[in-house]
Amino acid sequence: MTLSATESVTYECVNNGGKNPSAPNKHTFVTTGSVSGQFSADRNGNIVGSLSLSVASASSLGFSCPSGQTVTLVSVTYSNISLADSTSGASTTIGGSLTYTNPAAPPVR
């Protein structure tokens, strides 16, 4: 099985005072993520399993912060979500989007 989605992820820089300084180095990236896994049927034909799509890291997206500031995930939204079985070719899509907002991230200015 392969799970794939369009990922819109926002990172910001937070200073030691826990603030998001006004700077041009806050950015939202749009990328495609995917993860695959093998699942086997039990003797009754049931298949149980899970796939987790990890958020693209700031470094993999080329985002970093100046000295004295920490890279912080602000939010991620997954859309165009699809699940495909590479063995049978069966696939499905999930309508809408799924969003996570980091409650510990200072507001983006």
Side-chain angles (χ1 to χ4, degrees):
M1 293 293 243
T2 299
L3 171 68
S4 63
T6 300
E7 180 179 81
S8 177
V9 58
T10 301
Y11 284 102
E12 67 183 357
C13 296
V14 177
N15 65 23
N16 290 334
K19 302 289 184 202
N20 171 315
S22 189
N25 57 356
K26 297 166 206 63
H27 196 71
T28 298
F29 300 88
V30 177
T31 187
T32 300
S34 67
V35 63
S36 296
Q38 295 283 335
F39 299 95
S40 299
D42 65 17
R43 66 172 127 168
N44 295 320
N46 298 312
I47 299 174
V48 177
S50 65
L51 294 172
S52 297
L53 190 58
S54 297
V55 178
S57 69
S59 61
S60 74
L61 297 169
F63 182 79
S64 62
C65 293
S67 179
Q69 296 183 17
T70 304
V71 172
T72 302
L73 172 70
V74 175
S75 65
V76 61
T77 298
Y78 294 102
S79 59
N80 302 315
I81 304 165
S82 66
L83 185 62
D85 180 352
S86 56
T87 303
S88 70
S91 65
T92 190
T93 58
I94 299 170
S97 61
L98 303 171
T99 299
Y100 168 78
T101 301
N102 182 358
V108 176
R109 295 183 203 178

